[in-house]
Amino acid sequence: MASNVYKSAAQVTVFSTIEKTLSFAYRIILSRLIGAEGIGIYQICLSVFSVFLTAASSGIPVTVSRMIAKQSATGSAAGKHAVVTAGVVSTLMFTVPAAIIIFFGRNLLAFLFPDKESLNIFILLLPGLILTSVYAVMRGTFWGNKQFMPYSLIELAEDSVMVILGTVLVFSATSPTDGAYRATAAALISYIFSFLVSVGWYLMHGGKFVNPKSQLRPLLASAMPITAMRTSTSLLNSVVATFLPALLIGACGYDSSEALALYGAVTGMSLPVLMIPNSLIGSIAVVVAPEMSEHYYAGRGDRLKRDIEKTIKAAVFIAALLIPALFTLGGDIGIMLFGNAFSGEVITKFAFMLLPLCISMITTTALNSMNCEVKTLIYFFIGALFMLVCIFALTPIAGIYSYMIGLAGSYVITAALNLHLLRKKCPDAAYFKHLAASAAICVFGSLFGLLLRRLTAELTPVLKVIICGGAVTAFTLTAFWGLGMVSIEPVKKLFRRR
């Protein structure tokens, strides 16, 4: 069982990494073919679409996965089918009316777009709102049934369809707007593809659509807090994007271009680097969440305790491995990747944010697997409120750093509250000593990195990243291994025959 978990986590991580690399390459292709203006129109349309999609179905996959795991624990195949049908019905209840209202009331959204043509491009995506929300249910079905290979393949195939078709279509675009239209059409076709393949797979492998009445209310009650959290995150980012540059202009005396440059450096350069753990922990969460739910509802306390300990330790290990390297080399990374020294400065100063970030992410997954969605939503709002207070109170003093201080503080708050609740839900789980030891390793690893960086001060940023990054990572791994906090056994299990 443990071997399967390791293999599944590694598999999802590998496929996720390939997808992200493919998407990054596609952005480069689009930027060369349709330019900054075309990319801007395309990005605005996708951003608005993502808000509606988040509101429609972001809580559905996790909830369907957890509820299928619950039915697995009780051995009810009919219950699984009812859960899936309830997921499809609930998401269609929102997306179909929403798509109709948006289509006929499109002029009400005109203020979100630079011109009418951009609005029309967004309208092209509306069928995708319905299709992708159903595919979200299918994703949860794959997770709950532990079918990670078809899930990974469909995700990769969807991205591949969009990239290949988008490149072909955009190549003959006559203008930036025409290019954005063609890229959007490719995205819609990729949504149609994933919808057809996922539903087809579900039906061909024994899936059915049955009366969802018994599962509809529990699913909505569980999904709504998660959806509210993720929708609030999207809206919160929009609020910050609107008000923070204005605050920098009014409170700090920057002009418009300077304020936008600072905001862009932090959100478009520094944060993507600091959020590297997201995809890794997300892969772990996809695999272990159904396991935790199944153990929780089946009353297998010992197995649940083991899963909680292992996932928290894995998340902390990821953070501890990255923090010393980013703290040491943040400045060089900013220059090497973005040609921007300030973005590197932010990476260095807030590298330690990764520890509460990783703890917050994985503990939220664990608690949601134990039916604590409402409480994790409350904790999210507490952290979000702290961030907003920091932005408005500290911007006159700290400038753009007010946002990073607030963001780091919000992760500390949610991580602390999650750990407190998790201690109540599973009091026997032991991980606090591991957290303390990992924090100490981060400190000593960072000090070692600073010393090494001074010794290599004359090298180019690329060489410093390679040499110091490798040495600091080796130091951190050695410290974990020497203290008996990691083992090579999971690596062996990945290659061991079943």
Side-chain angles (χ1 to χ4, degrees):
M1 180 67 72
S3 178
N4 289 338
V5 172
Y6 289 128
K7 290 179 180 178
S8 297
Q11 169 194 302
V12 174
T13 301
V14 168
F15 275 93
S16 177
T17 302
I18 295 173
E19 289 169 40
K20 292 184 182 301
T21 303
L22 198 60
S23 297
F24 183 75
Y26 184 49
R27 289 304 177 94
I28 295 175
I29 293 171
L30 287 182
S31 67
R32 298 297 179 90
L33 293 177
I34 64 177
E37 183 182 350
I39 285 285
I41 296 171
Y42 177 67
Q43 189 60 46
I44 289 172
C45 293
L46 285 185
S47 298
V48 177
F49 175 79
S50 69
V51 172
F52 286 104
L53 184 61
T54 300
S57 60
S58 60
I60 294 292
V62 174
T63 305
V64 168
S65 169
R66 182 177 64 78
M67 293 182 68
I68 287 178
K70 179 180 179 180
Q71 298 301 322
S72 297
T74 59
S76 174
K80 289 184 179 182
H81 300 323
V83 168
V84 176
T85 309
V88 173
V89 170
S90 63
T91 194
L92 290 179
M93 285 168 53
F94 178 88
T95 55
V96 173
I100 294 173
I101 292 171
I102 293 170
F103 181 80
F104 288 103
R106 66 183 74 181
N107 291 334
L108 297 176
L109 299 177
F111 71 96
L112 296 173
F113 302 92
D115 52 45
K116 187 174 181 179
E117 289 184 337
S118 300
L119 174 60
N120 291 333
I121 293 172
F122 166 73
I123 295 299
L124 178 66
L125 281 174
L126 280 182
L129 179 64
I130 299 171
L131 300 177
T132 305
S133 67
V134 175
Y135 173 53
V137 178
M138 295 298 108
R139 281 207 310 270
T141 305
F142 289 135
W143 299 347
N145 289 316
K146 303 172 186 176
Q147 297 172 331
F148 299 110
M149 180 57 77
Y151 156 72
S152 299
L153 288 173
I154 292 173
E155 288 278 295
L156 180 58
E158 178 187 16
D159 266 15
S160 299
V161 168
M162 181 176 66
V163 170
I164 294 172
L165 188 60
T167 302
V168 172
L169 291 176
V170 169
F171 189 78
S172 57
T174 58
S175 67
T177 301
D178 182 46
Y181 181 88
R182 291 167 182 254
T184 303
L188 175 61
I189 293 172
S190 72
Y191 299 154
I192 297 172
F193 171 84
S194 56
F195 165 78
L196 292 175
V197 174
S198 61
V199 173
W201 178 279
Y202 173 72
L203 295 174
M204 290 174 61
H205 289 78
K208 300 177 182 178
F209 294 109
V210 300
N211 190 333
K213 185 177 179 181
S214 62
Q215 301 296 330
L216 191 56
R217 181 175 293 181
L219 184 139
L220 288 173
S222 181
M224 287 178 68
I226 299 174
T227 299
M229 179 189 298
R230 296 181 179 181
T231 304
S232 298
T233 300
S234 296
L235 293 175
L236 183 65
N237 291 336
S238 298
V239 169
V240 171
T242 301
F243 286 103
L244 185 54
L247 283 172
L248 290 171
I249 294 170
C252 302
Y254 294 110
D255 61 32
S256 179
S257 61
E258 290 172 334
L260 289 174
L262 286 172
Y263 178 76
V266 170
T267 60
M269 300 177 188
S270 303
L271 279 181
V273 175
L274 291 172
M275 295 297 175
I276 287 174
N278 280 16
S279 60
L280 299 174
I281 294 178
S283 299
I284 295 173
V286 164
V287 175
V288 301
E291 292 274 343
M292 288 185 182
S293 293
E294 189 172 333
H295 296 329
Y296 176 73
Y297 288 109
R300 297 192 286 261
D302 289 342
R303 293 188 181 182
L304 178 62
K305 167 182 171 293
R306 180 200 64 194
D307 286 348
I308 290 173
E309 290 176 350
K310 286 186 176 180
T311 52
I312 290 179
K313 289 178 180 179
V316 170
F317 174 71
I318 291 171
L321 199 61
L322 290 170
I323 287 171
L326 293 180
F327 176 76
T328 302
L329 299 166
D332 298 301
I333 292 171
I335 294 172
M336 185 180 73
L337 294 181
F338 311 112
N340 189 294
F342 178 71
S343 65
E345 181 182 314
V346 174
I347 293 171
T348 294
K349 290 182 176 179
F350 290 91
F352 288 98
M353 182 180 79
L354 268 64
L355 188 58
L357 163 66
C358 292
I359 294 172
S360 177
M361 287 183 63
I362 203 64
T363 52
T364 296
T365 296
L367 289 168
N368 287 345
S369 299
M370 294 185 281
N371 203 28
C372 294
E373 296 92 346
V374 173
K375 288 189 176 180
T376 56
L377 174 63
I378 294 171
Y379 297 163
F380 164 79
F381 281 130
I382 294 173
L385 179 61
F386 176 85
M387 185 179 76
L388 289 175
V389 169
C390 283
I391 290 174
F392 285 99
L394 297 182
T395 297
I397 303 171
I400 190 68
Y401 284 115
S402 65
Y403 173 51
M404 294 302 300
I405 293 170
L407 187 62
S410 71
Y411 287 129
V412 171
I413 290 170
T414 53
L417 292 173
N418 282 355
L419 288 172
H420 178 70
L421 179 57
L422 198 58
R423 188 66 177 265
K424 291 183 178 180
K425 299 289 291 185
C426 193
D428 296 330
Y431 43 78
F432 282 102
K433 288 184 179 179
H434 187 93
L435 294 182
S438 298
I441 289 173
C442 286
V443 172
F444 285 107
S446 298
L447 293 175
F448 171 74
L450 286 179
L451 176 62
L452 191 61
R453 193 176 185 282
R454 290 181 180 179
L455 296 176
T456 57
E458 301 301 320
L459 298 178
T460 65
V462 174
L463 287 177
K464 277 189 279 190
V465 168
I466 295 172
I467 296 173
C468 294
V472 170
T473 301
F475 177 93
T476 306
L477 285 172
T478 302
F480 269 94
W481 181 77
L483 294 174
M485 297 169 64
V486 295
S487 170
I488 63 171
E489 187 62 23
V491 179
K492 291 181 179 180
K493 288 181 178 180
L494 292 177
F495 303 97
R496 187 178 296 165
R497 290 184 179 181
R498 298 183 185 182

